[in-house]
Coordinates of all heavy atoms in Angstrom, one line a residue:
M502 N 24.8 142.1 20.8 CA 25.6 142.6 21.9 C 27.0 142.0 21.8 O 27.1 140.8 21.6 CB 24.9 142.2 23.2 CG 25.7 142.6 24.4 SD 24.9 142.1 26.0 CE 23.3 142.8 25.9
A503 N 27.9 142.8 22.0 CA 29.3 142.4 21.9 C 29.6 141.4 23.1 O 29.0 141.6 24.2 CB 30.3 143.6 22.0
K504 N 30.5 140.5 22.9 CA 30.9 139.6 24.0 C 31.3 140.2 25.3 O 31.0 139.8 26.3 CB 31.9 138.6 23.5 CG 32.2 137.5 24.5 CD 33.0 136.4 23.9 CE 33.3 135.4 24.9 NZ 32.9 134.1 24.7
N505 N 32.2 141.3 25.2 CA 32.6 142.0 26.3 C 31.5 142.6 27.1 O 31.5 142.6 28.4 CB 33.6 143.1 26.0 CG 35.0 142.5 25.5 OD1 35.2 141.3 25.8 ND2 35.8 143.3 24.9
N506 N 30.5 143.2 26.4 CA 29.3 143.7 27.1 C 28.6 142.7 27.9 O 28.1 142.8 29.0 CB 28.4 144.5 26.2 CG 29.0 145.8 25.7 OD1 30.0 146.3 26.3 ND2 28.5 146.3 24.7
S507 N 28.4 141.5 27.2 CA 27.7 140.4 27.8 C 28.4 139.9 29.1 O 27.7 139.6 30.1 CB 27.6 139.2 26.8 OG 26.9 138.1 27.4
V508 N 29.7 139.8 29.0 CA 30.5 139.4 30.2 C 30.3 140.4 31.3 O 30.1 140.0 32.5 CB 32.0 139.1 29.8 CG1 32.8 138.9 31.1 CG2 32.1 138.0 28.9
T509 N 30.4 141.7 31.0 CA 30.2 142.7 32.0 C 28.8 142.6 32.7 O 28.7 142.7 33.9 CB 30.4 144.1 31.4 OG1 31.8 144.1 30.9 CG2 30.3 145.2 32.4
I510 N 27.8 142.5 31.9 CA 26.4 142.4 32.4 C 26.3 141.2 33.3 O 25.7 141.2 34.3 CB 25.4 142.4 31.2 CG1 25.4 143.8 30.6 CG2 24.0 142.0 31.7 CD1 24.6 143.9 29.3
D511 N 26.8 140.0 32.8 CA 26.7 138.8 33.6 C 27.4 139.0 34.9 O 26.9 138.5 36.0 CB 27.4 137.6 32.8 CG 26.5 137.1 31.7 OD1 25.3 137.5 31.6 OD2 27.1 136.4 30.8
K512 N 28.6 139.6 34.9 CA 29.3 139.9 36.2 C 28.5 140.8 37.1 O 28.4 140.5 38.3 CB 30.7 140.5 35.9 CG 31.6 140.7 37.1 CD 32.9 141.2 36.7 CE 33.7 141.4 38.0 NZ 35.0 142.0 37.7
E513 N 27.9 141.9 36.6 CA 27.1 142.8 37.4 C 25.9 142.1 38.0 O 25.5 142.3 39.1 CB 26.7 144.0 36.6 CG 27.8 144.9 36.3 CD 27.5 146.1 35.3 OE1 26.3 146.1 34.9 OE2 28.3 146.9 35.0
L514 N 25.2 141.2 37.2 CA 24.1 140.5 37.7 C 24.5 139.5 38.8 O 23.8 139.4 39.8 CB 23.4 139.7 36.5 CG 22.5 140.6 35.6 CD1 22.1 139.7 34.4 CD2 21.4 141.2 36.3
S515 N 25.6 138.9 38.6 CA 26.1 138.0 39.6 C 26.4 138.7 40.9 O 26.1 138.2 42.0 CB 27.4 137.3 39.1 OG 27.9 136.4 40.1
T516 N 27.0 139.9 40.8 CA 27.3 140.7 42.0 C 26.0 141.1 42.7 O 25.9 141.0 43.9 CB 28.1 141.9 41.6 OG1 29.4 141.5 41.1 CG2 28.4 142.8 42.8
L517 N 25.1 141.6 41.9 CA 23.8 142.0 42.5 C 23.1 140.8 43.2 O 22.5 140.9 44.3 CB 22.9 142.6 41.5 CG 21.5 143.1 41.9 CD1 21.6 144.1 43.1 CD2 20.7 143.6 40.8
N518 N 23.0 139.6 42.5 CA 22.4 138.4 43.0 C 23.0 138.0 44.3 O 22.3 137.7 45.3 CB 22.4 137.3 42.0 CG 21.4 137.5 40.9 OD1 20.5 138.2 41.0 ND2 21.7 136.8 39.8
N519 N 24.4 138.0 44.4 CA 25.1 137.6 45.6 C 24.8 138.6 46.7 O 24.5 138.2 47.9 CB 26.6 137.6 45.3 CG 27.0 136.4 44.5 OD1 26.2 135.4 44.4 ND2 28.1 136.5 43.9
A520 N 24.7 139.9 46.4 CA 24.4 140.9 47.4 C 23.0 140.8 48.0 O 22.8 140.9 49.2 CB 24.7 142.3 46.9
T521 N 22.1 140.5 47.1 CA 20.7 140.3 47.5 C 20.5 139.1 48.3 O 19.8 139.1 49.3 CB 19.8 140.2 46.2 OG1 20.0 141.4 45.4 CG2 18.3 140.1 46.6
I522 N 21.2 138.0 48.0 CA 21.1 136.8 48.8 C 21.7 137.0 50.1 O 21.1 136.6 51.1 CB 21.8 135.6 48.0 CG1 21.0 135.2 46.8 CG2 22.0 134.4 49.0 CD1 21.7 134.3 45.8
Q523 N 22.8 137.7 50.2 CA 23.4 138.0 51.5 C 22.5 138.8 52.4 O 22.3 138.6 53.6 CB 24.8 138.7 51.4 CG 25.9 137.9 50.9 CD 27.1 138.7 50.6 OE1 27.1 139.9 50.5 NE2 28.2 138.0 50.4
L524 N 21.9 139.9 51.8 CA 21.0 140.7 52.5 C 19.7 139.9 53.0 O 19.4 140.0 54.1 CB 20.5 141.9 51.6 CG 19.4 142.8 52.2 CD1 20.0 143.5 53.4 CD2 18.9 143.7 51.2
A525 N 19.2 139.1 52.1 CA 17.9 138.4 52.4 C 18.2 137.4 53.5 O 17.4 137.2 54.4 CB 17.4 137.7 51.2
S526 N 19.4 136.7 53.5 CA 19.6 135.7 54.5 C 19.9 136.3 55.9 O 19.8 135.7 56.9 CB 20.8 134.9 54.1 OG 22.0 135.6 54.1
S527 N 20.2 137.6 55.9 CA 20.4 138.3 57.2 C 19.2 138.9 57.8 O 19.2 139.5 58.9 CB 21.5 139.3 57.1 OG 21.0 140.4 56.3
L528 N 18.1 138.9 57.1 CA 16.9 139.6 57.5 C 16.0 138.8 58.4 O 15.8 137.6 58.2 CB 16.1 140.1 56.3 CG 16.7 141.1 55.4 CD1 15.8 141.4 54.2 CD2 17.0 142.3 56.2
P529 N 15.3 139.4 59.4 CA 14.4 138.7 60.2 C 13.0 138.5 59.6 O 12.2 137.7 60.0 CB 14.2 139.6 61.5 CG 14.6 140.9 61.0 CD 15.6 140.7 59.9
T530 N 12.8 139.3 58.5 CA 11.5 139.2 57.8 C 11.8 139.0 56.3 O 12.9 139.3 55.8 CB 10.7 140.5 58.0 OG1 11.4 141.6 57.6 CG2 10.3 140.6 59.4
P531 N 10.8 138.6 55.5 CA 11.1 138.4 54.1 C 11.4 139.7 53.3 O 11.0 140.8 53.7 CB 9.8 137.8 53.5 CG 8.9 137.6 54.7 CD 9.5 138.3 55.9
I532 N 12.2 139.6 52.3 CA 12.4 140.7 51.3 C 12.0 140.2 50.0 O 12.3 139.1 49.6 CB 13.9 141.2 51.4 CG1 14.0 142.5 50.6 CG2 14.9 140.1 50.9 CD1 15.3 143.3 50.8
I533 N 11.2 141.0 49.3 CA 10.7 140.7 48.0 C 11.2 141.6 46.9 O 11.2 142.8 47.1 CB 9.1 140.8 48.1 CG1 8.5 139.9 49.2 CG2 8.5 140.5 46.7 CD1 7.2 140.3 49.6
T534 N 11.8 141.0 45.9 CA 12.3 141.8 44.8 C 11.0 142.1 43.9 O 10.2 141.3 43.7 CB 13.3 141.1 43.9 OG1 12.8 139.8 43.5 CG2 14.6 140.9 44.7
D535 N 10.9 143.4 43.6 CA 9.7 143.9 43.0 C 10.0 144.8 41.8 O 10.8 145.8 42.0 CB 8.9 144.7 44.0 CG 7.5 145.0 43.6 OD1 7.2 145.2 42.4 OD2 6.6 145.0 44.5
T536 N 9.5 144.6 40.7 CA 9.7 145.4 39.5 C 8.7 146.6 39.4 O 8.9 147.5 38.6 CB 9.6 144.6 38.2 OG1 8.3 144.0 38.1 CG2 10.7 143.5 38.1
G537 N 7.7 146.6 40.2 CA 6.7 147.6 40.2 C 6.8 148.7 41.2 O 6.3 149.8 41.0
V538 N 7.5 148.4 42.3 CA 7.7 149.4 43.3 C 8.7 150.5 42.9 O 9.6 150.2 42.2 CB 8.1 148.7 44.7 CG1 9.5 148.2 44.6 CG2 7.9 149.6 45.9
T539 N 8.4 151.8 43.3 CA 9.2 152.9 42.9 C 10.5 153.2 43.7 O 11.2 154.1 43.4 CB 8.4 154.2 42.8 OG1 7.8 154.4 44.0 CG2 7.3 154.0 41.7
G540 N 10.7 152.5 44.8 CA 11.8 152.6 45.6 C 11.9 151.4 46.6 O 11.0 150.6 46.5
H541 N 13.0 151.4 47.4 CA 13.1 150.3 48.3 C 12.3 150.7 49.5 O 12.5 151.7 50.2 CB 14.6 150.1 48.8 CG 15.5 149.9 47.6 ND1 15.3 149.0 46.7 CD2 16.7 150.6 47.3 CE1 16.3 149.0 45.8 NE2 17.2 150.0 46.2
F542 N 11.2 149.9 49.8 CA 10.3 150.1 50.9 C 10.4 149.0 51.9 O 10.1 147.8 51.5 CB 8.8 150.3 50.3 CG 8.6 151.4 49.4 CD1 7.6 151.4 48.4 CD2 9.5 152.5 49.4 CE1 7.4 152.4 47.5 CE2 9.3 153.6 48.5 CZ 8.3 153.5 47.6
L543 N 10.8 149.3 53.1 CA 11.2 148.3 54.1 C 10.3 148.3 55.3 O 9.8 149.4 55.7 CB 12.6 148.5 54.4 CG 13.6 148.7 53.3 CD1 15.0 148.9 53.8 CD2 13.6 147.4 52.4
Q544 N 10.2 147.1 55.9 CA 9.6 147.1 57.3 C 10.6 147.6 58.3 O 11.8 147.7 58.0 CB 9.3 145.6 57.6 CG 8.2 145.0 56.7 CD 7.9 143.6 57.0 OE1 8.9 142.8 57.2 NE2 6.7 143.2 57.0
F545 N 10.1 148.0 59.5 CA 11.0 148.6 60.5 C 12.1 147.7 60.9 O 13.2 148.1 61.2 CB 10.1 149.0 61.7 CG 10.9 149.8 62.7 CD1 11.1 151.2 62.4 CD2 11.5 149.3 63.8 CE1 11.8 152.0 63.3 CE2 12.2 150.1 64.7 CZ 12.4 151.4 64.4
S546 N 11.9 146.4 60.9 CA 12.9 145.4 61.4 C 14.0 145.2 60.4 O 15.0 144.5 60.8 CB 12.2 144.1 61.8 OG 11.6 143.6 60.6
T547 N 13.9 145.7 59.2 CA 15.0 145.5 58.2 C 16.2 146.3 58.6 O 16.2 147.5 58.8 CB 14.5 145.9 56.8 OG1 13.3 145.2 56.5 CG2 15.6 145.6 55.8
P548 N 17.4 145.6 58.7 CA 18.6 146.4 59.1 C 19.1 147.4 58.0 O 19.0 147.0 56.8 CB 19.7 145.3 59.3 CG 19.1 144.1 58.7 CD 17.6 144.2 58.5
L549 N 19.4 148.6 58.4 CA 19.9 149.6 57.5 C 21.1 150.3 58.1 O 21.2 150.4 59.4 CB 18.8 150.7 57.3 CG 17.6 150.3 56.5 CD1 16.6 151.5 56.6 CD2 18.0 150.1 55.1
L550 N 21.9 150.9 57.3 CA 23.0 151.8 57.7 C 22.4 153.2 57.8 O 21.6 153.6 57.0 CB 24.1 151.8 56.7 CG 24.7 150.4 56.3 CD1 25.7 150.6 55.2 CD2 25.4 149.8 57.6
A551 N 22.8 153.9 58.8 CA 22.4 155.3 59.0 C 20.9 155.5 59.0 O 20.4 156.4 58.3 CB 23.1 156.2 57.9
K552 N 20.1 154.7 59.7 CA 18.7 154.9 59.8 C 18.4 156.1 60.6 O 18.8 156.3 61.7 CB 18.0 153.7 60.5 CG 16.5 153.7 60.4 CD 15.9 152.7 61.3 CE 15.9 151.3 60.6 NZ 15.1 150.3 61.4
T553 N 17.6 157.0 59.9 CA 17.3 158.3 60.6 C 15.8 158.6 60.4 O 15.2 158.3 59.4 CB 18.1 159.5 60.0 OG1 17.8 159.5 58.5 CG2 19.5 159.4 60.2
P554 N 15.2 159.2 61.4 CA 13.8 159.5 61.3 C 13.5 160.6 60.3 O 14.4 161.5 60.1 CB 13.4 160.1 62.7 CG 14.5 159.7 63.6 CD 15.7 159.5 62.7
V555 N 12.4 160.6 59.6 CA 12.0 161.7 58.7 C 10.6 162.2 59.0 O 9.8 161.4 59.4 CB 12.1 161.2 57.2 CG1 13.5 160.9 56.8 CG2 11.2 160.0 57.0
H556 N 10.5 163.5 58.8 CA 9.1 164.1 59.0 C 9.0 165.3 58.1 O 9.9 166.2 58.3 CB 8.9 164.4 60.5 CG 7.5 164.9 60.7 ND1 6.4 164.0 60.6 CD2 7.0 166.1 60.9 CE1 5.3 164.7 60.8 NE2 5.6 166.0 61.0
P557 N 8.2 165.4 57.2 CA 7.2 164.3 56.9 C 7.9 163.2 56.0 O 8.9 163.5 55.3 CB 6.2 165.0 56.0 CG 6.9 166.2 55.4 CD 8.0 166.6 56.4
G558 N 7.4 162.0 56.1 CA 7.9 161.0 55.3 C 7.2 161.0 53.9 O 6.3 161.8 53.7
I559 N 7.7 160.1 53.0 CA 7.0 160.0 51.8 C 5.7 159.1 52.0 O 5.6 158.3 52.8 CB 7.9 159.3 50.7 CG1 8.2 157.9 51.0 CG2 9.1 160.2 50.4 CD1 8.8 157.1 49.8
K560 N 4.7 159.5 51.2 CA 3.4 158.7 51.2 C 3.3 157.8 50.0 O 3.7 158.2 48.9 CB 2.3 159.7 51.3 CG 2.2 160.4 52.6 CD 1.0 161.3 52.7 CE 1.0 162.1 54.0 NZ -0.1 162.9 54.2
V561 N 2.9 156.6 50.3 CA 2.7 155.6 49.2 C 1.3 155.1 49.1 O 0.7 154.8 50.2 CB 3.7 154.4 49.5 CG1 3.5 153.3 48.5 CG2 5.1 154.9 49.4
L562 N 0.8 155.1 47.9 CA -0.6 154.6 47.7 C -0.5 153.0 47.5 O 0.3 152.5 46.7 CB -1.2 155.2 46.4 CG -2.6 154.8 46.0 CD1 -3.6 155.2 47.1 CD2 -2.9 155.4 44.7
L563 N -1.3 152.3 48.3 CA -1.3 150.9 48.3 C -2.4 150.4 47.3 O -3.3 151.2 46.9 CB -1.6 150.3 49.7 CG -0.6 150.7 50.7 CD1 -1.0 150.1 52.1 CD2 0.8 150.1 50.4
P564 N -2.3 149.2 46.8 CA -3.3 148.6 45.9 C -4.7 148.7 46.4 O -5.6 148.8 45.6 CB -2.8 147.2 45.7 CG -1.4 147.2 46.0 CD -1.2 148.2 47.1
N565 N -4.9 148.7 47.7 CA -6.3 148.7 48.2 C -6.8 150.1 48.4 O -7.9 150.3 48.9 CB -6.4 148.0 49.6 CG -5.6 148.7 50.7 OD1 -5.1 149.8 50.5 ND2 -5.6 148.1 51.9
G566 N -6.0 151.1 47.9 CA -6.5 152.5 47.9 C -6.1 153.3 49.2 O -6.2 154.5 49.2
S567 N -5.5 152.6 50.2 CA -5.1 153.3 51.4 C -3.7 153.8 51.2 O -3.0 153.4 50.2 CB -5.2 152.4 52.6 OG -4.3 151.4 52.5
T568 N -3.2 154.7 52.0 CA -1.8 155.2 52.0 C -1.1 154.9 53.3 O -1.7 154.8 54.3 CB -1.8 156.8 51.7 OG1 -2.5 157.4 52.8 CG2 -2.4 157.1 50.4
I569 N 0.2 154.8 53.1 CA 1.1 154.7 54.3 C 2.2 155.7 54.2 O 2.5 156.2 53.1 CB 1.7 153.3 54.5 CG1 2.4 152.8 53.2 CG2 0.6 152.3 54.8 CD1 3.1 151.5 53.3
E570 N 2.8 156.1 55.3 CA 3.8 157.1 55.3 C 5.1 156.6 55.9 O 5.0 155.9 57.0 CB 3.4 158.4 56.1 CG 4.3 159.5 56.0 CD 3.8 160.8 56.7 OE1 2.6 160.9 56.9 OE2 4.6 161.7 56.9
S571 N 6.2 156.9 55.3 CA 7.5 156.4 55.8 C 7.8 157.2 57.1 O 7.4 158.3 57.3 CB 8.6 156.5 54.8 OG 8.9 157.9 54.5
M572 N 8.6 156.5 58.0 CA 9.0 157.1 59.3 C 10.5 157.3 59.4 O 10.9 158.1 60.2 CB 8.5 156.3 60.4 CG 7.0 156.0 60.5 SD 6.0 157.5 60.7 CE 6.2 157.7 62.5
H573 N 11.2 156.5 58.6 CA 12.7 156.6 58.6 C 13.2 156.4 57.2 O 12.5 156.0 56.3 CB 13.3 155.5 59.4 CG 13.0 155.6 60.9 ND1 11.8 155.2 61.4 CD2 13.7 156.1 61.9 CE1 11.8 155.4 62.7 NE2 13.0 155.9 63.1
M574 N 14.5 156.8 57.0 CA 15.3 156.6 55.8 C 16.6 156.0 56.2 O 17.0 156.2 57.3 CB 15.5 157.9 55.0 CG 14.4 158.4 54.2 SD 14.9 159.8 53.2 CE 16.2 159.2 52.2
G575 N 17.2 155.2 55.3 CA 18.5 154.7 55.6 C 19.1 154.1 54.3 O 18.6 154.4 53.2
V576 N 20.2 153.4 54.4 CA 20.9 152.9 53.3 C 21.0 151.3 53.5 O 21.5 150.9 54.5 CB 22.3 153.5 53.2 CG1 23.1 152.9 52.0 CG2 22.2 155.0 53.0
L577 N 20.6 150.6 52.5 CA 20.8 149.1 52.5 C 22.2 148.8 52.4 O 23.0 149.5 51.7 CB 20.0 148.5 51.3 CG 18.5 148.5 51.4 CD1 17.9 148.1 50.1 CD2 18.1 147.4 52.4
S578 N 22.6 147.8 53.1 CA 24.0 147.3 53.1 C 24.1 146.3 51.9 O 24.0 145.1 52.2 CB 24.4 146.7 54.4 OG 25.7 146.2 54.3
L579 N 24.4 146.8 50.7 CA 24.6 145.9 49.6 C 26.0 146.1 49.0 O 26.2 147.1 48.4 CB 23.5 146.2 48.5 CG 22.1 145.9 48.8 CD1 21.2 146.4 47.7 CD2 21.9 144.4 49.0
P580 N 26.9 145.2 49.3 CA 28.3 145.4 48.9 C 28.4 145.6 47.4 O 27.7 144.9 46.6 CB 28.9 144.1 49.3 CG 28.1 143.5 50.3 CD 26.7 143.9 50.0
H581 N 29.3 146.4 47.0 CA 29.6 146.7 45.5 C 28.4 147.4 44.8 O 28.5 147.4 43.6 CB 30.0 145.4 44.8 CG 31.0 144.6 45.5 ND1 32.3 145.1 45.7 CD2 30.9 143.5 46.2 CE1 33.0 144.2 46.4 NE2 32.2 143.2 46.7
I582 N 27.4 147.9 45.5 CA 26.3 148.6 44.9 C 26.4 150.1 45.3 O 26.6 150.3 46.5 CB 25.0 148.0 45.3 CG1 24.9 146.5 44.9 CG2 23.8 148.8 44.6 CD1 24.9 146.1 43.5
S583 N 26.2 151.0 44.4 CA 26.2 152.4 44.7 C 25.3 152.8 45.9 O 24.2 152.3 45.9 CB 25.8 153.2 43.5 OG 25.4 154.5 43.8
P584 N 25.8 153.6 46.9 CA 24.9 154.0 48.0 C 23.7 154.7 47.5 O 22.6 154.5 48.1 CB 25.8 154.9 48.8 CG 27.2 154.6 48.4 CD 27.2 154.1 47.0
H585 N 23.7 155.4 46.4 CA 22.5 156.1 45.9 C 21.5 155.1 45.5 O 20.3 155.3 45.5 CB 22.9 157.0 44.7 CG 23.7 158.1 45.1 ND1 23.3 159.2 45.8 CD2 25.1 158.4 44.9 CE1 24.2 160.1 46.0 NE2 25.3 159.6 45.5
A586 N 21.9 153.9 45.0 CA 21.0 152.8 44.6 C 20.4 152.1 45.8 O 19.5 151.3 45.7 CB 21.7 151.8 43.7
C587 N 21.0 152.4 47.0 CA 20.6 151.6 48.2 C 19.8 152.5 49.2 O 19.4 152.0 50.3 CB 21.8 151.1 48.9 SG 22.8 149.9 47.9
I588 N 19.4 153.7 48.8 CA 18.6 154.5 49.7 C 17.2 153.8 49.9 O 16.6 153.4 48.9 CB 18.4 155.9 49.2 CG1 19.8 156.6 49.2 CG2 17.4 156.7 50.0 CD1 19.8 158.0 48.5
A589 N 16.7 153.7 51.1 CA 15.5 153.0 51.4 C 14.6 153.8 52.4 O 15.1 154.6 53.2 CB 15.8 151.7 52.0
H590 N 13.3 153.6 52.3 CA 12.3 154.2 53.1 C 11.7 153.1 54.0 O 11.4 152.1 53.5 CB 11.3 154.9 52.3 CG 11.8 156.0 51.4 ND1 12.1 157.2 51.8 CD2 12.2 155.9 50.1 CE1 12.6 157.9 50.8 NE2 12.7 157.1 49.7
V591 N 11.5 153.5 55.3 CA 11.0 152.5 56.2 C 9.5 152.8 56.6 O 9.2 154.0 56.9 CB 11.8 152.5 57.6 CG1 11.2 151.6 58.6 CG2 13.3 152.2 57.2
F592 N 8.7 151.8 56.4 CA 7.2 152.0 56.7 C 6.9 151.0 57.8 O 6.9 149.8 57.6 CB 6.4 151.6 55.4 CG 6.6 152.6 54.3 CD1 7.7 152.4 53.4 CD2 5.8 153.7 54.1 CE1 7.9 153.3 52.4 CE2 6.0 154.6 53.1 CZ 7.1 154.4 52.2
P593 N 6.6 151.5 59.0 CA 6.3 150.6 60.1 C 5.0 149.7 59.9 O 5.0 148.6 60.5 CB 6.0 151.5 61.3 CG 6.5 152.9 60.9 CD 6.5 152.9 59.4
T594 N 4.1 150.1 59.0 CA 2.9 149.3 58.8 C 2.9 148.5 57.6 O 1.9 147.9 57.2 CB 1.7 150.3 58.8 OG1 1.9 151.2 57.8 CG2 1.5 151.0 60.1
L595 N 4.1 148.3 56.9 CA 4.2 147.5 55.7 C 4.1 146.0 56.2 O 4.9 145.5 56.9 CB 5.6 147.8 55.1 CG 5.8 147.2 53.7 CD1 4.8 147.8 52.7 CD2 7.2 147.5 53.2
A596 N 3.0 145.4 55.7 CA 2.7 144.1 56.3 C 3.3 142.9 55.5 O 3.6 141.9 56.1 CB 1.2 143.9 56.3
S597 N 3.4 143.0 54.2 CA 3.8 141.8 53.3 C 5.2 141.4 53.4 O 5.6 140.3 53.1 CB 3.4 142.1 51.9 OG 4.1 143.2 51.4
G598 N 6.1 142.3 53.8 CA 7.5 142.1 53.7 C 8.2 143.3 53.1 O 7.6 144.2 52.5
S599 N 9.5 143.4 53.2 CA 10.3 144.5 52.6 C 10.3 144.3 51.1 O 10.4 143.2 50.6 CB 11.7 144.5 53.2 OG 11.6 144.9 54.6
L600 N 10.3 145.4 50.4 CA 10.3 145.4 48.9 C 11.6 146.0 48.4 O 11.9 147.2 48.7 CB 9.1 146.2 48.4 CG 7.7 145.7 48.9 CD1 6.6 146.7 48.4 CD2 7.5 144.3 48.4
L601 N 12.3 145.3 47.6 CA 13.6 145.7 47.0 C 13.2 146.1 45.6 O 12.8 145.2 44.8 CB 14.6 144.6 47.1 CG 16.0 144.9 46.5 CD1 16.7 145.9 47.5 CD2 16.8 143.7 46.4
S602 N 13.4 147.3 45.2 CA 13.0 147.8 43.9 C 14.1 147.5 42.8 O 15.2 148.0 42.8 CB 12.9 149.3 44.0 OG 12.7 149.9 42.7
I603 N 13.7 146.6 41.9 CA 14.5 146.3 40.7 C 14.7 147.6 39.9 O 15.8 147.8 39.3 CB 13.9 145.1 39.9 CG1 13.9 143.9 40.8 CG2 14.7 144.9 38.6 CD1 15.2 143.4 41.4
G604 N 13.6 148.4 39.7 CA 13.7 149.6 38.9 C 14.7 150.6 39.4 O 15.5 151.2 38.7
T605 N 14.8 150.7 40.8 CA 15.7 151.6 41.4 C 17.2 151.2 41.1 O 18.0 151.9 40.7 CB 15.5 151.8 42.9 OG1 14.2 152.3 43.1 CG2 16.5 152.6 43.6
L606 N 17.4 149.9 41.2 CA 18.7 149.3 40.9 C 19.1 149.5 39.5 O 20.2 149.9 39.2 CB 18.8 147.9 41.3 CG 18.6 147.6 42.8 CD1 18.5 146.1 43.1 CD2 19.8 148.2 43.6
C607 N 18.1 149.3 38.6 CA 18.4 149.5 37.1 C 18.7 150.9 36.8 O 19.6 151.3 36.1 CB 17.2 149.0 36.3 SG 17.0 147.2 36.3
N608 N 18.0 151.9 37.4 CA 18.1 153.3 37.2 C 19.5 153.8 37.6 O 20.0 154.8 37.2 CB 17.1 154.1 37.9 CG 15.7 154.0 37.3 OD1 15.6 153.5 36.1 ND2 14.7 154.3 38.0
H609 N 20.2 153.0 38.5 CA 21.5 153.4 39.0 C 22.6 152.5 38.4 O 23.7 152.4 38.9 CB 21.5 153.4 40.5 CG 20.8 154.5 41.2 ND1 19.5 154.4 41.5 CD2 21.2 155.7 41.5 CE1 19.1 155.6 42.0 NE2 20.1 156.4 42.0
G610 N 22.3 151.9 37.3 CA 23.3 151.1 36.6 C 23.7 149.8 37.2 O 24.7 149.3 36.8
C611 N 22.9 149.3 38.0 CA 23.2 148.0 38.7 C 22.8 146.8 37.8 O 23.2 145.7 38.2 CB 22.6 147.9 40.0 SG 23.1 149.2 41.2
M612 N 22.1 147.0 36.8 CA 21.7 145.8 35.9 C 22.0 146.2 34.5 O 21.9 147.3 34.1 CB 20.3 145.5 36.1 CG 20.1 145.0 37.5 SD 18.4 144.2 37.6 CE 18.6 143.1 38.8

């Protein structure tokens, strides 16, 4: 890898890490970075920009075999990150904490 590419990647990772730390410190509940989740799946108490109800919501299969359905969509407030990479789904019954999708961020060029 060329040195310029390495510097650019390091700078992007630093920006993402700082944005994630700022978001996590402002939340009333835990946020978990997850490489296996297919989108940003959040608890209802997680602050979002432009939170709007959705019907029908997306359905997600949980490891125990049950499904949950999202009730809202919104945009995470992550400075310097594309709004398309910040689209999130809200699940009122998500118990473990909000899940921040590393795959979604990578798919939008954030890493």
